[in-house]
């Protein structure tokens, strides 16, 4: 039986974690035509949850408190259920959906696509922002975007840790920059969800990833596939350090999640020997953890022909490619820990103050699903 109400964490406005309210009587959604009702078993937490809540997506004025609205109008309205990377099981279907979908486990392509195009996504928005997401017991989503993932050894929480918000963003960074087999790629913010995805995706594509992170995470990142790990805490003579690990070859493309003052140094790693390059220097940026403003001389950009790609979301084609790689085991989960949905405040604090052992993703599990899907991945006391 599907209950008439459900438990959910409601975002009630911009601000701190006090704006996240655990509510036990939220109406359970009903699937419309082409949709499925999913009983949520795990939803990965992403940095975009915090940034949207705190109003950290200014696009005009640096002091602007808003959220992105690429379609021209605000879609983040309150109350809103956040949570983009959803895994669960279909329990009901809307008109036009085959009832054989009931019972299937799936992973959500989190995008709210504005049109039917498969190769481009110009007005990015997503579940958990422009529509209710997975920090709840149930969610309704398009059947076509809830990808069946059954025949794997992955637990639901592990599958959620491989969600599209991180992995599709990472893949779109690489495809935008036309990364090719044999190229040397610098990955910044390498220990997070997008960073760990980038390292794995580089290896699938035949590229050679170099990770920028804290040295206490070097062993794990090398095991994941990084060719070398550069110390983020010491950026002095950074180009020389890159030259040392690449055998003197410049970086072909930078996958930047840091921004701030570091971006100019990342560009240096691509242009110190233009005679050894096989393609233009390329920089894909999909985050600004080190600062939202960078000072870069435009003469360096156009004289060295540096190509810059801004990336937020990917395409339907990329989502389907990722699901194929997950199904055949080419991508591996990097799951750090699980938290109960009712303890999302604790998860948010832990995420912001993460310690040196943090690597990969945090997953949020509804309390009713905790024993089966969350407890095996709880933080060790």
């Amino acid at each position: 039986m599907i209950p008439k109400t459900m438990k959910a964490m409601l975002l009630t406005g911009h601000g701190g974690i006090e704006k996240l309210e655990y509510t036990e009587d939220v109406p359970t959604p009903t699937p419309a035509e082409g949709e499925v009702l999913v009983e949520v078993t795990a939803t990965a937490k992403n940095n975009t949850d915090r940034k949207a809540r705190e109003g950290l997506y200014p696009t005009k004025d640096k002091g602007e408190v808003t959220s992105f609205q690429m379609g021209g109008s605000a879609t983040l309205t309150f109350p809103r259920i956040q949570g983009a990377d959803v895994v669960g099981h279909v329990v009901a279907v809307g008109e036009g959906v085959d009832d054989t979908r009931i019972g299937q486990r799936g992973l959500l392509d989190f995008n709210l696509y504005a049109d039917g195009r498969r190769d481009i996504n110009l007005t990015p928005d997503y579940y958990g922002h422009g529509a209710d997401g997975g920090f709840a017991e149930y969610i309704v989503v398009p059947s076509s975007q809830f990808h069946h993932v059954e025949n794997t050894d992955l637990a639901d929480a592990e599958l959620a840790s491989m969600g599209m918000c991180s992995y599709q963003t990472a893949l779109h960074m690489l495809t935008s920059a036309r990364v090719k087999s044999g190229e040397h790629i610098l990955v910044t913010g390498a220990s997070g969800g997008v960073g760990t995805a980038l390292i794995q995706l580089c290896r699938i594509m035949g590229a050679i990833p170099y990770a920028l992170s804290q040295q206490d995470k070097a062993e794990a990142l090398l095991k994941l596939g990084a060719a070398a790990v550069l110390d983020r805490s010491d950026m002095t003579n950074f180009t020389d350090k890159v030259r040392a690990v690449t055998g003197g070859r410049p970086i072909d493309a930078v996958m930047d999640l840091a921004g701030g003052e570091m971006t100019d140094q990342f560009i240096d790693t691509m242009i110190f020997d233009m005679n050894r390059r096989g393609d233009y220097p390329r920089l894909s940026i999909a985050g600004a953890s080190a600062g939202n403003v960078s000072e870069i001389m435009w003469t360096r950009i156009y004289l060295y022909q540096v190509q810059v790609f801004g990336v937020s979301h990917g395409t339907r084609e990329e989502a389907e490619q990722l699901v194929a790689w997950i199904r055949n085991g080419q991508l591996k989960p990097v799951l750090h820990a699980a938290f109960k949905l009712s303890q999302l405040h604790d998860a948010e604090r832990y995420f912001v103050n993460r310690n040196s052992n943090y690597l990969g993703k945090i997953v949020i599990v509804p309390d009713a699903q905790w024993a089966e899907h969350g407890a095996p991945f709880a933080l060790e006391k």
Side-chain angles (χ1 to χ4, degrees):
M1 295 293 293
I2 299 169
K4 293 182 179 180
T5 61
M6 65 178 183
K7 299 177 177 65
M9 189 67 74
L10 299 182
L11 176 63
T12 59
H14 289 300
I17 58 174
E18 75 280 354
K19 295 295 185 180
L20 292 166
E21 299 182 7
Y22 190 61
T23 306
E24 300 189 356
D25 59 353
V26 176
T28 302
T30 301
E33 182 178 357
E35 293 183 332
V36 293
L37 175 66
V38 175
E39 185 173 21
V40 178
T41 53
T43 300
K45 176 172 168 39
N46 293 288
N47 198 35
T48 190
D49 301 324
R50 177 188 65 84
K51 296 186 74 171
R53 169 172 51 80
E54 294 182 0
L56 298 180
Y57 283 120
T59 56
K60 295 179 181 179
D61 180 80
K62 288 184 290 184
E64 179 185 16
V65 178
T66 185
S67 192
F68 55 85
Q69 38 192 285
M70 302 301 103
S73 59
T75 61
L76 177 58
T77 57
F78 306 109
R80 172 67 74 222
I81 300 172
Q82 293 187 291
D85 289 334
V86 182
V87 168
H89 300 257
V90 177
V91 293
V93 299
E95 183 179 349
V97 179
D98 196 314
D99 60 11
T100 58
R101 291 231 61 184
I102 294 176
Q104 290 183 354
R105 179 177 78 159
L107 171 66
L108 176 65
D109 173 359
F110 76 126
N111 288 281
L112 293 170
Y113 295 107
D115 54 40
R117 291 189 63 175
R118 295 175 46 76
D119 62 334
I120 198 168
N121 184 7
L122 292 176
T123 55
D125 203 352
Y126 61 94
Y127 284 91
H129 183 273
D132 285 338
F135 291 160
E137 293 181 313
Y138 295 90
I139 182 177
V140 290
V141 297
S143 177
S144 62
Q145 289 180 229
F146 193 65
H147 294 281
H148 186 201
V149 182
E150 198 64 58
N151 297 322
T152 73
D153 295 329
L154 296 170
D156 287 17
E158 292 175 316
L159 181 57
S161 75
M162 304 166 74
M164 298 292 167
C165 190
S166 292
Y167 279 73
Q168 191 191 43
T169 299
L171 181 55
H172 198 57
M173 293 177 78
L174 294 165
T175 57
S176 296
R178 308 182 312 280
V179 168
K180 300 179 288 293
S181 179
E183 290 194 316
H184 293 238
I185 310 301
L186 177 63
V187 177
T188 77
S191 65
V194 180
T196 52
L198 280 164
I199 291 171
Q200 294 190 69
L201 290 168
C202 279
R203 288 303 185 182
I204 288 175
M205 299 169 74
I208 305 164
Y210 298 87
L212 180 64
S213 187
Q214 303 294 339
Q215 283 300 294
D216 50 18
K217 300 175 182 177
E219 183 179 353
L221 293 171
L222 290 169
K223 184 177 180 180
L224 196 60
V229 179
L230 297 147
D231 189 357
R232 179 175 175 171
S233 66
D234 182 9
M235 296 292 290
T236 56
N237 301 316
F238 184 64
T239 298
D240 290 338
K241 294 171 182 175
V242 169
R243 195 195 307 259
V245 298
T246 63
R249 175 173 169 168
I251 291 292
D252 292 293
V254 174
M255 303 294 112
D256 188 9
L257 301 164
E261 295 179 357
M262 293 182 177
T263 299
D264 207 36
Q265 291 178 277
F266 301 153
I267 292 172
D268 285 339
T269 69
M270 296 190 289
I271 64 175
F272 63 77
D273 188 350
M274 294 296 288
N275 291 320
R276 295 190 64 180
R277 297 199 59 85
D279 199 345
Y280 296 111
R282 287 148 282 149
L283 182 144
S284 286
I285 185 160
S289 61
N292 200 32
V293 178
S294 303
E295 184 175 335
I296 301 172
M297 295 171 60
W298 282 113
T299 47
R300 281 162 51 80
I301 300 298
Y302 68 75
L303 290 175
Y304 286 98
Q305 301 185 82
V306 178
Q307 298 181 341
V308 180
F309 304 92
V311 174
S312 55
H313 295 214
T315 68
R316 295 177 190 268
E317 290 177 346
E318 290 164 340
E320 291 167 4
Q321 176 62 79
L322 287 165
V323 170
W325 283 332
I326 291 171
R327 286 172 177 157
N328 66 24
Q330 287 182 262
L331 289 170
K332 306 298 181 184
V334 187
L335 173 59
H336 180 73
F339 285 79
K340 291 181 179 179
L341 176 62
S342 62
Q343 298 173 343
L344 184 57
H345 285 198
D346 294 335
E348 292 282 355
R349 293 189 193 96
Y350 185 86
F351 183 83
V352 170
N353 301 307
R354 46 198 164 191
N355 58 32
S356 61
N357 295 322
Y358 188 96
L359 189 77
K361 302 290 287 190
I362 286 174
V363 167
I364 307 301
V365 175
D367 293 37
Q369 305 288 340
W370 180 254
E372 180 178 359
H373 297 291
F377 307 100
L379 281 174
E380 295 183 4
K381 300 293 185 181

